[in-house]
Amino acid sequence: MEFEYVHKPEFKDRRFFRKGLWGQGTCHLHICEINSSEWIEKILFRDYLRLHPIGNFGYALLLMIIAP
């Protein structure tokens, strides 16, 4: 799949992989253990966006504004 593992000591409960060159990657992949605090946080955020269309729209707008 051409992903490279990137050591990030600040990510205690997940592993980070990048596809592409540093600073020019096409995508990131974060892997965490099921039921870990990291996993629960991500699932709660996902569920919030699913239940709150206005929040979902605002988040999408924010991503478009900050995207390079």
Side-chain angles (χ1 to χ4, degrees):
M1 291 195 308
E2 302 177 20
F3 280 89
E4 176 186 3
Y5 172 71
V6 180
H7 179 67
K8 294 271 192 175
E10 63 271 25
F11 293 165
K12 305 276 187 238
D13 295 330
R14 63 180 154 161
R15 300 296 176 258
F16 172 61
F17 297 84
R18 177 188 68 238
K19 187 172 186 176
L21 300 175
W22 179 255
Q24 302 172 21
T26 57
C27 59
H28 294 163
L29 174 65
H30 297 262
I31 299 176
C32 59
E33 186 175 334
I34 292 177
N35 294 323
S36 68
S37 60
E38 184 78 23
W39 184 83
I40 291 168
E41 178 183 307
K42 302 300 182 237
I43 295 299
L44 288 173
F45 183 66
R46 179 206 65 189
D47 291 348
Y48 174 85
L49 292 178
R50 287 180 175 177
L51 292 173
H52 300 89
I54 293 174
N56 192 339
F57 176 76
Y59 182 62
L61 185 60
L62 175 66
L63 291 179
M64 286 189 286
I65 291 169
I66 65 173

